[in-house]
Amino acid sequence: MTRPLCLICHRGRLWQSRFVTTHVLAIDQGTTSTRAIVFNHAGVPIASGQREHRQVTPAPGWVEHDPLEIWDATRDVVAQALAAANLTRADLAAVGITNQRETTVVWDRVTGQPVHPAIVWQDTRSQAIVDRLAQGPDAELVRHATGLPLATYFAGTKLMWILENVPGVRQRAQAGEVLFGTVDSWLVWNLTGGPDGGIHVTDVTNASRTLLMDLETLDWREELLAALDVPRTMLPAIRSSSEVYGRARVPVLAGVPIAGILGDQQAAAFGQAAFDAGDTKSTYGTGNFLLVSTGERIVRSQHGLITTVAYRLGDAPARYALEGSVAVTGSLVQWLRDQLGLVDSAPEIEALAGTVADNGGVFVVPAFSGLFAPYWRPDARGVIVGLTHFVGKGHIARAVLEATAFQTVDVLEAAQADVGMRLSELRVDGGMTANGLLMQVQADLLGVDVVRPSVAQTTALGAAYAAGLAVGYWESLEQVRENWREGARWSPAMPPGEATALTGQWHRAVERSLGWVE
Ligand code: ADP
């Protein structure tokens, strides 16, 4: 199709960029799959592409991805989404990126080859490094400056592992030959030319998960680099979450501005229009992640939560959040499916759990990688407690779903204690929110309404908004907020005393999981 020329200037380009760029594309590079979604101006998804990638587990506690497979999937899903929408790159005002956070990539800047597989956020191989840091003189400085507990979860200790264990990498890093990035950096570098002039950037939300960025200055801090012994030359430049970083040079997107980067949980909060202090969302995916916005205030948790950057738009002050990160929720359902074979697909768990009226006294504590927030106990391991002859697979399925709800109660209570507020309702999103039984249990245990928006893909939507705001496709946060629509609501139906008693039993089950690994 030939496009008509601009009516004002009679040149095609301006017409295209000012009048025809009708959509924004989001790339959502997740833990299990990569998606590309095309959104229109109302924030409604028009078309998408999706591809899974391999989960490589070479040893207990180790989880790896192949960065080249992810990059290949990215180009593929972008092409799929554009084809399904019947659009081309010329129709796109901008591209936004959201990504699995903390997953660590180190690559050769000349060849573009990774020096090691990506070490995924769930990977616990850096525990000995964490223990060393925790006993070292800088432990308190690192915690205070970054807002993070010392845990294998964060990118910095995974990067240390690569620097210490992959021969030659430290020397090559010092010589400026290899680059570090979380997955956002890896994708932007490749999208903008790779070895041929690719730009090496990350955004404040991803950088805030490395143990290397100071929450106040929003820059890498020398003492932190020294404490973790990371050469500065390999680090990306830290930019805001919403600005034009550069233009794509890969054919499928050539010329389109890359204008938004947000870590996946921050993107979901942004897509839920949780912009202001007190706004809260919980995402139910592989793991669960609660974010409570604290506005421009940096709140250091007294109750086991993480302090994180929520977003930064251009030069405006950064916004912060408290985060409750729960490692294992949806992946427990996958475990029930893949390792136990109790269901053939994840959604089937709802029918199985619905065969019983309650959990029959069973509690599952899925401490597969230890417990994250609010406990931070690497010595915990999974337990199933309360078994009797009465218990059947329906009870186990129910206890598996309830484990997600109880863990969310724990992090929400921690957040409420930190900021001194009571939540009036909880905004939710993510794959597990398709499970109505779980959502009802969640409302029952929390004692507040649980609300899901009409657009379930909030993570991709948040990245689209960040990119679209940077290029003027959307004008303001207000306009974005107006796009939010309620899709479903669950109200508490359980007597509060019963919810309190169940939560008490859950806490006793959690105690049983602690101290298992010596
Ligand atoms: P991520 O973005 O972390 O990859 P998703 O938001 O796509 O995750 O959610 C996928 C997770 O949700 C999987 O772990 C899967 O087991 C779980 N899940 C998907 N559908 C259901 C369902 N109907 N009931 C319970 N769990 C589900």
Side-chain angles (χ1 to χ4, degrees):
M1 185 176 89
T2 55
R3 296 191 184 283
L5 292 181
C6 170
L7 298 177
I8 301 164
C9 69
H10 303 284
R11 280 182 295 141
R13 254 187 90 71
L14 185 61
W15 197 93
Q16 280 190 6
S17 64
R18 299 292 288 253
F19 297 97
V20 186
T21 54
T22 49
H23 294 80
V24 170
L25 179 91
I27 296 170
D28 176 2
Q29 202 304 298
T31 307
T32 50
S33 75
T34 307
R35 298 186 185 104
I37 305 186
V38 180
F39 289 94
N40 68 14
H41 200 257
V44 173
I46 295 303
S48 64
Q50 181 170 10
R51 198 168 112 184
E52 290 203 4
H53 54 266
R54 281 173 304 132
Q55 306 293 319
V56 182
T57 49
W62 292 33
V63 189
E64 298 178 345
H65 293 159
D66 176 357
L68 292 172
E69 185 185 359
I70 285 176
W71 167 230
D72 194 46
T74 302
R75 278 171 296 177
D76 184 21
V77 297
V78 168
Q80 280 179 35
L82 287 175
N86 203 17
L87 297 174
T88 72
R89 58 197 162 87
D91 300 297
L92 298 177
V95 177
I97 293 173
T98 178
N99 56 291
Q100 54 169 321
R101 305 172 301 173
E102 299 97 11
T103 298
T104 298
V105 190
V106 177
W107 68 94
D108 185 310
R109 72 174 347 141
V110 174
T111 64
Q113 292 295 313
V115 303
H116 188 271
I119 301 184
V120 179
W121 61 273
Q122 301 134 319
D123 190 296
T124 58
R125 79 183 67 183
S126 54
Q127 187 62 51
I129 291 173
V130 169
D131 294 343
R132 206 170 72 209
L133 275 176
Q135 283 149 21
D138 300 313
E140 199 37 49
L141 167 81
V142 176
R143 284 194 201 100
H144 187 81
T146 67
L148 307 173
L150 291 173
T152 58
Y153 179 28
F154 303 106
T157 66
K158 300 175 194 297
L159 173 56
M160 286 172 80
W161 190 94
I162 292 176
L163 286 165
E164 291 178 13
N165 290 280
V166 185
V169 170
R170 180 173 297 283
Q171 294 72 19
R172 289 165 69 196
Q174 279 156 347
E177 292 168 16
V178 298
L179 303 177
F180 154 79
T182 39
V183 175
D184 54 313
S185 300
W186 167 245
L187 292 183
V188 172
W189 188 79
N190 279 292
L191 284 163
T192 55
D196 185 17
I199 58 172
H200 189 214
V201 295
T202 187
D203 92 303
V204 281
T205 67
N206 278 292
S208 79
R209 321 289 298 191
T210 57
L211 290 168
L212 298 169
M213 189 191 83
D214 187 308
L215 274 180
E216 287 173 24
T217 64
L218 302 173
D219 201 358
W220 308 122
R221 179 163 161 180
E222 281 309 332
E223 291 104 314
L224 299 174
L225 303 191
L228 275 70
D229 201 8
V230 168
R232 199 181 182 109
T233 46
M234 69 190 308
L235 299 179
I238 303 177
R239 307 275 287 266
S240 83
S241 319
S242 176
E243 63 177 78
V244 176
Y245 312 103
R247 285 180 187 268
R249 289 173 58 195
V250 65
V252 70
L253 287 174
V256 182
I258 301 174
I261 304 176
L262 284 164
D264 54 9
Q265 299 310 321
Q266 284 88 344
F270 208 75
Q272 288 267 27
F275 302 133
D276 298 329
D279 289 350
T280 301
K281 72 87 201 180
S282 179
T283 299
Y284 296 69
T286 311
N288 257 44
F289 299 86
L290 179 91
L291 258 75
V292 179
S293 172
T294 59
E296 290 181 35
R297 214 154 63 93
I298 297 176
V299 177
R300 291 194 164 78
S301 178
Q302 305 300 315
H303 299 90
L305 303 184
I306 289 170
T307 309
T308 202
V309 181
Y311 64 89
R312 184 181 192 196
L313 304 181
D315 294 335
R319 306 298 155 123
Y320 297 88
L322 280 170
E323 175 179 315
S325 332
V326 176
V328 179
T329 57
S331 60
L332 181 64
V333 176
Q334 285 170 280
W335 176 80
L336 195 81
R337 180 194 65 191
D338 302 337
Q339 308 290 95
L340 298 193
L342 283 188
V343 288
D344 290 329
S345 71
E348 274 177 40
I349 191 174
E350 186 166 3
L352 184 56
T355 58
V356 292
D358 56 35
N359 65 18
V362 176
F363 293 80
V364 180
V365 183
F368 293 177
S369 325
L371 284 169
F372 281 22
Y375 303 100
W376 300 105
R377 288 291 294 262
D379 59 333
R381 281 299 175 272
V383 294
I384 303 180
V385 294
L387 296 177
T388 61
H389 281 300
F390 169 71
V391 168
K393 55 187 177 182
H395 299 108
I396 304 279
R398 197 163 178 113
V400 160
L401 288 180
E402 289 182 357
T404 294
F406 284 125
Q407 293 186 97
T408 304
V409 170
D410 283 345
V411 288
L412 189 65
E413 294 205 327
Q416 295 189 141
D418 272 335
V419 298
M421 58 124 193
R422 293 311 292 178
L423 196 72
S424 55
E425 60 181 37
L426 179 65
R427 288 190 174 185
V428 300
D429 51 64
M432 285 189 97
T433 64
N435 192 308
L437 192 149
L438 169 61
M439 292 297 101
Q440 183 58 51
V441 168
Q442 189 69 83
D444 287 345
L445 291 175
L446 288 174
V448 298
D449 282 11
V450 168
V451 186
R452 192 179 64 201
S454 56
V455 174
Q457 300 92 331
T458 49
T459 305
L461 180 58
Y465 280 149
L469 282 164
V471 297
Y473 178 80
W474 285 291
E475 279 158 22
S476 64
L477 293 182
E478 212 32 62
Q479 203 181 27
V480 166
R481 210 190 309 266
E482 282 164 15
N483 279 347
W484 192 94
R485 298 267 178 283
E486 182 172 321
R489 177 178 288 266
W490 292 267
S491 300
M494 180 183 274
E498 205 177 308
T500 308
L502 280 170
T503 307
Q505 280 180 290
W506 158 258
H507 288 140
R508 287 171 55 218
V510 169
E511 277 166 30
R512 303 293 187 282
S513 76
L514 304 178
W516 184 255
V517 179
E518 288 170 348

